[in-house]
Amino acid sequence: MAGATSHLRQITYRVVPMISLVCSSMLTYALEFEDVSLRAGVHRKAPTAASAWGDVNANGWPDLWVSNHHGEIPSLYLNRGDATFEDVVMARLPHLAAGAVPDYYGAAWVDFDGDGDTDWLLARARPYAQEVRQTGPAEVRARINARKDGTSASFSLSTSGDLTLNLHRVWIDPSDPERTLFPVLQLGRRQTALDGRSVVLHASDSTLHEPADGPTDAREWFGVWFDAAKQRWHFDSTVTALGIVVTSTVDITEVQTSGFKSSHGALQDFLLTANGGEFRAVPLLEQPTPCHSITAGDFDNDGDLDLYMVCATPTGNAGNMLLVNDGRGHFTPRRSSGGGENGRANQVSAADYDQDGFLDLFVTNGGGQPPFANQGRHQLLRNVGNSNHWLEIDLVGGVSNPHGLGATVIVRTGKTLQRRLAGGSVHAFSQDHQRLHFGLGPNERVDEVTVSWPSGGVQMLNHVAADQILCIEEG
């Protein structure tokens, strides 16, 4: 019955009167927001990346996670239930105090292991990661930063060919207007301004055959010179976050860095499993990943939630991953599972766009800034599916809000319970389709569907057929 929609109104445990709504373009209402940050205790200043609401201690009050950026310790605001919050991140996650703090990006609150507690997934990356990577026989990509002491970061490569350089500043500090879009370009003994975004360098040009020491009157510069005796090109930069694509007319070999270690920014991702309000940090995978956008869904319709992770290095894609859940919160990665074929992947969202009961994916590949982005196409990844059954639910609020946001839906098949929160499906700059999706495995019928509405009303549906899109109206 793919695509079928049923509208069922059920008797509630508690009778809630319906409110009659009158809509008119002639009516106007006062609308005002009050900034209560100070008295609520959520007024911290820090570079930020994302936020996610979830119930950390299962007391019914929404708590708040804030993924801080640029190496700042994140925040976990525990809701006291009196309109104030307490930042308990160091008490709940003491391991953050040890060593350098990475960048935290996306976060998701989901019951991954099916024990009734809300677990917590954190996606991390290394701040200011620098990478020099050979991406083809005659192409090298680099994303480098000046060192903190002001000295240059350098790399070199061997080729006898002429070069084309494509240069872009990856990040500009808007608080520093003196910084120009392009640095001073030191070509051997010659100093020049970069005209446009690329420059062609000839190995036979004798003015390039002496080291580029850099001008003394420039705040930031990028230098290039050619060691003719060793047939080796050298690159030096005092620029903050410079992106470079080097293309040669002859194959490149022996790419080396100096003053920094090339890294794709991968760090260990953690699944924080909940038990009575306490969290235990469990590595999501054995190996660190450079992944930064995640969506959760039952992609194989077997009754537990899987993950799809979008991954990219500072200079390009790293291969997205599908993590298949075994039902106990343990995940098996499947690389090259579609997406991230070009450009620089940055976001993923999920929806059953063809209404066949299997969640599909949409991936974008234009992450970051030139020269490593703005080249990737949009990718819609259709889920081919299998023989497992499914149920999808749309909520229509009456006394509650129209979309039933804040409602909890529990689906029972035998002794197996699946819970979903109608929370808007927003994560890290993206939003999944708000329709609630449940994989049912071999079950052709659901024993019981329970909806707990924000208004306090509860509705139950019994013996619901699988393989349909069900619309449940509050009332």
Side-chain angles (χ1 to χ4, degrees), residues 14 19 34 46 70 119 167 199 229 316 342 392 398-399 410 454:
R14 192 174 97 187
I19 296 177
E34 178 187 8
H70 296 167
D119 305 313
L167 300 174
V199 61
N342 51 78
E392 295 181 4
V399 176
I410 297 177

Side-chain angles (χ1 to χ4, degrees), residues 169-253:
R169 185 190 293 279
V170 177
W171 177 78
I172 300 173
D173 186 354
S175 66
D176 191 346
E178 294 184 8
R179 286 187 172 174
T180 57
L181 183 61
F182 300 111
V184 170
L185 189 61
Q186 185 75 27
L187 304 177
R189 298 191 303 268
R190 289 189 290 121
Q191 179 179 327
T192 183
L194 185 62
D195 182 15
R197 295 185 182 272
S198 64
V199 61
V200 177
L201 304 176
H202 299 282
S204 60
D205 184 351
S206 61
T207 65
L208 296 172
H209 295 176
E210 293 185 14
D213 294 330
T216 59
D217 58 345
R219 289 187 58 183
E220 294 182 326
W221 59 274
F222 178 75
V224 184
W225 69 283
F226 181 62
D227 186 337
K230 296 182 178 180
Q231 298 287 285
R232 191 163 186 82
W233 289 91
H234 295 262
F235 307 86
D236 299 278
S237 177
T238 64
V239 183
T240 300
L242 185 65
I244 311 156
V245 177
V246 181
T247 306
S248 175
T249 56
V250 177
D251 284 359
I252 293 171
T253 61

Side-chain angles (χ1 to χ4, degrees), residues 10-13 391 393 395 407-412 417-421 436 438 446-453 457-464 470 472:
Q10 299 292 316
I11 298 174
T12 62
Y13 283 117
L391 178 67
I393 297 176
L395 299 178
T408 299
V409 179
I410 297 177
V411 167
R412 181 175 66 83
L417 299 178
Q418 296 186 60
R419 182 177 62 173
R420 301 286 189 274
L421 172 67
L436 303 180
F438 299 85
V446 171
D447 295 325
E448 186 177 84
V449 177
T450 304
V451 183
S452 299
W453 297 92
V458 178
Q459 290 175 248
M460 289 186 64
L461 292 76
N462 297 310
H463 309 300
V464 177
L470 187 66
I472 303 178

Side-chain angles (χ1 to χ4, degrees), residues 106-129:
W109 302 83
V110 181
D111 182 7
F112 285 104
D113 52 11
D115 65 353
D117 289 322
T118 301
D119 305 313
W120 191 12
L121 177 67
L122 300 179
R124 314 188 309 161
R126 191 178 304 278
Y128 309 115

Side-chain angles (χ1 to χ4, degrees), residues 5-10 18 21 393-405 407 409 422 434-436 451 453-455 459 470-475:
T5 303
S6 301
H7 293 267
L8 302 180
R9 185 181 296 274
Q10 299 292 316
M18 298 294 292
L21 300 177
I393 297 176
D394 287 331
L395 299 178
V396 179
V399 176
S400 302
N401 60 82
H403 295 287
L405 295 177
V409 179
Q434 295 186 45
R435 176 172 292 152
L436 303 180
V451 183
W453 297 92
S455 64
Q459 290 175 248
L470 187 66
C471 181
I472 303 178
E473 299 179 5
E474 183 180 17

Side-chain angles (χ1 to χ4, degrees), residues 363-415:
V363 177
T364 58
N365 293 284
Q369 296 177 351
F372 311 128
N374 302 332
Q375 305 168 21
R377 63 182 176 88
H378 295 170
Q379 292 183 275
L380 181 61
L381 307 177
R382 180 181 176 271
N383 191 334
V384 177
N386 52 40
S387 61
N388 283 340
H389 298 282
W390 53 275
L391 178 67
E392 295 181 4
I393 297 176
D394 287 331
L395 299 178
V396 179
V399 176
S400 302
N401 60 82
H403 295 287
L405 295 177
T408 299
V409 179
I410 297 177
V411 167
R412 181 175 66 83
T413 50
K415 295 182 179 180

Side-chain angles (χ1 to χ4, degrees), residues 52-398:
W53 292 90
D55 192 353
V56 175
N57 48 8
N59 66 351
W61 293 93
D63 309 302
L64 176 62
W65 166 266
V66 181
S67 295
N68 288 329
H69 201 31
H70 296 167
E72 291 281 346
I73 292 176
S75 298
L76 175 58
Y77 293 109
L78 194 69
N79 194 328
R80 293 189 175 113
D82 61 357
T84 66
F85 294 80
E86 178 186 3
D87 191 346
V88 298
V89 68
M90 298 311 300
R92 296 296 180 110
L93 302 172
H95 68 279
L96 292 182
V101 178
D103 275 7
Y104 284 86
Y105 291 101
W109 302 83
V110 181
D111 182 7
F112 285 104
D113 52 11
D115 65 353
D117 289 322
T118 301
D119 305 313
W120 191 12
L121 177 67
L122 300 179
R124 314 188 309 161
R126 191 178 304 278
Y128 309 115
Q130 302 186 79
E131 180 182 41
V132 177
R133 179 167 63 119
Q134 186 162 357
T135 51
E139 181 184 272
V140 168
R141 293 186 173 195
R143 200 279 197 185
I144 58 178
N145 299 311
R147 290 191 282 178
K148 291 183 178 181
D149 61 4
T151 57
S152 63
S154 307
F155 69 98
S156 60
L157 53 87
S158 291
T159 182
S160 60
D162 299 333
L163 302 185
T164 298
L165 302 185
N166 190 346
L167 300 174
H168 289 257
R169 185 190 293 279
V170 177
W171 177 78
I172 300 173
D173 186 354
S175 66
D176 191 346
E178 294 184 8
R179 286 187 172 174
T180 57
L181 183 61
F182 300 111
V184 170
L185 189 61
Q186 185 75 27
L187 304 177
R189 298 191 303 268
R190 289 189 290 121
Q191 179 179 327
T192 183
L194 185 62
D195 182 15
R197 295 185 182 272
S198 64
V199 61
V200 177
L201 304 176
H202 299 282
S204 60
D205 184 351
S206 61
T207 65
L208 296 172
H209 295 176
E210 293 185 14
D213 294 330
T216 59
D217 58 345
R219 289 187 58 183
E220 294 182 326
W221 59 274
F222 178 75
V224 184
W225 69 283
F226 181 62
D227 186 337
K230 296 182 178 180
Q231 298 287 285
R232 191 163 186 82
W233 289 91
H234 295 262
F235 307 86
D236 299 278
S237 177
T238 64
V239 183
T240 300
L242 185 65
I244 311 156
V245 177
V246 181
T247 306
S248 175
T249 56
V250 177
D251 284 359
I252 293 171
T253 61
E254 299 180 33
V255 180
Q256 297 176 355
T257 63
S258 176
F260 69 96
K261 182 179 180 180
S262 181
S263 168
H264 51 49
L267 286 176
Q268 190 75 63
D269 297 312
F270 284 101
L271 178 64
L272 305 180
T273 58
N275 183 8
E278 298 297 325
F279 288 96
R280 183 170 65 95
V282 179
L284 184 63
L285 299 171
E286 292 183 1
Q287 298 297 323
T289 74
C291 304
H292 48 266
S293 181
I294 304 173
T295 189
D298 189 355
F299 298 114
D300 52 6
N301 283 359
D302 65 349
D304 49 56
L305 291 169
D306 311 302
L307 296 168
Y308 185 89
M309 303 177 69
V310 163
C311 312
T313 75
T315 62
N317 278 329
N320 298 340
M321 287 193 294
L322 175 66
L323 305 183
V324 181
N325 193 344
D326 67 358
R328 299 185 300 274
H330 302 137
F331 295 87
T332 301
R334 295 182 183 175
R335 288 190 178 272
S336 302
S337 52
E341 298 174 358
N342 51 78
R344 185 171 181 269
N346 63 327
Q347 299 296 333
V348 61
S349 56
D352 179 13
Y353 78 92
D354 53 2
Q355 296 191 5
D356 65 352
F358 288 85
L359 290 174
D360 311 297
L361 295 167
F362 176 73
V363 177
T364 58
N365 293 284
Q369 296 177 351
F372 311 128
N374 302 332
Q375 305 168 21
R377 63 182 176 88
H378 295 170
Q379 292 183 275
L380 181 61
L381 307 177
R382 180 181 176 271
N383 191 334
V384 177
N386 52 40
S387 61
N388 283 340
H389 298 282
W390 53 275
L391 178 67
E392 295 181 4
I393 297 176
D394 287 331
L395 299 178
V396 179

